[in-house]
Amino acid sequence: MSTVLSGHPASGAPHADDRPLVVGLGGTARRGSSSEVCLRTALEAAEQAGARVELFSADALDLPMYQPASSRRTERAVALVEAVRACDGLILASPSYHGNLSGLVKNALDYFEDLRDDARPYLEGRAVGCITCAAGWQGTVATLTSLRGIVHALRGWPTPLGVTVNSATPVVVDGAIEDAGLRQRLGLLGEQVVGFAHARRG
């Protein structure tokens, strides 16, 4: 359902581990996609910066189309909403399909509407790092702009750094990112999310 990189699953209840929780959401239905590997790399940096992390990718994003008029939710949808409800920050990653984010990722983000009546509605007060991948720079930039716009609409704070990845040339080799500059940018993005979470707590 979801991969908990730190071994500390999220829940709506207070957690014994007081480290900030960063949720990663994105990728494609195919495990090990470029966008998923980039997301995992940023989450690993967030964990090294002192956060608990939880990943929702591939099968965890295989959700029914969001229907606001229906209160029925699958187990996967409930797990996603509860993790976001509990989190202190997020990292989002989407491939660019025809110049915009994928339907898979957009549908998952639509489920955040279930947070509208929370004391801390939607993504209120949380930093959100954004990553986009496409076979060409034009698609990455357009998709990043869309993703940041969605974060603003959900009352979140996009981090100063957004990472765009041109996958026209292979960026992932044997499940890892080869380019040192890209690894550095993804690491900085993860650190920015955690830094903002600590600042909000402090």
Side-chain angles (χ1 to χ4, degrees), residues 52-120:
R52 294 178 288 128
V53 297
E54 187 168 4
L55 171 66
F56 290 83
S57 190
D59 292 346
L61 299 183
D62 185 10
L63 306 171
M65 289 298 294
Y66 178 73
Q67 298 184 41
S70 173
S71 60
R72 291 168 50 183
R73 297 289 179 264
T74 64
E75 183 180 346
R76 287 174 176 174
V78 170
L80 172 62
V81 170
E82 288 304 312
V84 174
R85 175 174 281 129
C87 80
D88 300 285
L90 293 95
I91 301 175
L92 307 177
S94 178
S96 177
Y97 290 169
H98 308 133
N100 215 320
L101 64 159
S102 71
L104 190 75
V105 172
K106 179 59 169 63
N107 186 52
L109 295 175
D110 286 345
Y111 276 88
F112 291 9
E113 182 64 18
D114 287 359
L115 306 172
R116 65 185 177 278
D117 295 324
D118 285 12
R120 186 176 61 162

Side-chain angles (χ1 to χ4, degrees), residues 40-50 186-188 190-191 194:
R40 286 179 177 273
T41 302
L43 281 177
E44 287 165 2
E47 188 168 37
Q48 290 170 7
L186 292 167
L188 179 55
E191 291 167 6
V194 177

